[in-house]
Amino acid sequence: MTITIASKTTLYDRDFYQWVQETTEKLKMKDFDHVDLENLIEEIESLGTSERSEIYNRLATLLEHLLKRMFVDMPQEFNGWENTIREQRKRLKRALKFSPSLKNYFTEVFDEAFVDALEEIRKEKGYKLVKFPDTWQFGRDIDTMINVDFWEQ
C-alpha cells in the first residue's frame, strides 16, 4: 500500500523564510501584483496578536510575583521574586515604548491578568495557606505598575 502525502503548493507553505524574503523583495520593487496578499495579511495580523499576547503574559507574570513578594513570608525568595518583577517591568516598558497604543490594552486586560495570576499562585503547593486578596488593591495604571515597589509601602 502506498501512502501519498499531498505536497504543499505555495511557497508560504513550503518555505516560510524564503516566502518572507521574496515578499519583501516584491514589496521593495513595488511588484504588488505578485505579492501573496492573503498570507501577508495573515502574518501582519498575527504580529498584532503576538504583541498583545506579550503584554498580557508579562503583566500576569508581574502580578504573580508582586503578589508573592507582598503576601508570602519567605525572605529567602524575595530576591528571586524581585528579579522577576524588574525583568517583567523592563520588558513591559520596552514593549509599550515600541507600541504605545497597547497601553489601552494593558488597562483593558488588567483584571483578567490579575485573576489568571491569582489562580496560578493558588495552585502552587507552597502558597495554599496564604491569604491573597481577591482584587488588586493598589494602583493599576502603567506608571505605577512599572515603578512602585508595593511591598515597601
Side-chain angles (χ1 to χ4, degrees), residues 65 68-69 72-84 127:
H65 287 81
K68 289 176 187 178
R69 179 58 183 87
V72 178
D73 186 22
M74 297 174 78
Q76 71 276 14
E77 302 296 334
F78 290 175
N79 189 51
W81 294 331
E82 289 175 21
N83 285 339
T84 300
Y127 312 126

Side-chain angles (χ1 to χ4, degrees), residues 47-110:
L47 289 172
T49 301
S50 175
E51 293 293 312
R52 287 172 25 140
S53 182
E54 180 179 2
I55 295 295
Y56 185 89
N57 291 333
R58 294 203 179 280
L59 175 58
T61 301
L62 173 62
L63 286 164
E64 279 182 48
H65 287 81
L66 285 169
L67 286 166
K68 289 176 187 178
R69 179 58 183 87
M70 292 186 299
F71 295 99
V72 178
D73 186 22
M74 297 174 78
Q76 71 276 14
E77 302 296 334
F78 290 175
N79 189 51
W81 294 331
E82 289 175 21
N83 285 339
T84 300
I85 290 165
R86 280 191 299 276
E87 182 66 20
Q88 297 311 307
R89 286 174 166 175
K90 178 176 74 173
R91 293 186 183 257
L92 273 167
K93 193 171 4 179
R94 184 179 308 143
L96 293 169
K97 176 183 177 186
F98 290 117
S99 297
S101 63
L102 286 174
K103 289 178 182 177
N104 293 333
Y105 180 71
F106 179 98
T107 304
E108 286 172 30
V109 298
F110 188 94

Side-chain angles (χ1 to χ4, degrees), residues 1-60:
M1 175 178 190
T2 305
I3 298 175
T4 306
I5 299 174
S7 64
K8 296 179 179 179
T9 56
T10 67
L11 179 58
Y12 178 83
D13 294 323
R14 288 190 318 271
D15 187 336
F16 180 74
Y17 182 76
Q18 186 178 353
W19 175 84
V20 169
Q21 297 304 307
E22 288 186 16
T23 300
T24 302
E25 191 59 35
K26 289 173 186 172
L27 291 170
K28 286 179 182 177
M29 303 291 289
K30 297 182 178 20
D31 184 10
F32 304 123
D33 290 336
H34 296 102
V35 171
D36 177 2
L37 283 177
E38 183 178 324
N39 287 315
L40 180 59
I41 290 166
E42 183 179 316
E43 288 303 317
I44 290 172
E45 286 175 339
S46 75
L47 289 172
T49 301
S50 175
E51 293 293 312
R52 287 172 25 140
S53 182
E54 180 179 2
I55 295 295
Y56 185 89
N57 291 333
R58 294 203 179 280
L59 175 58

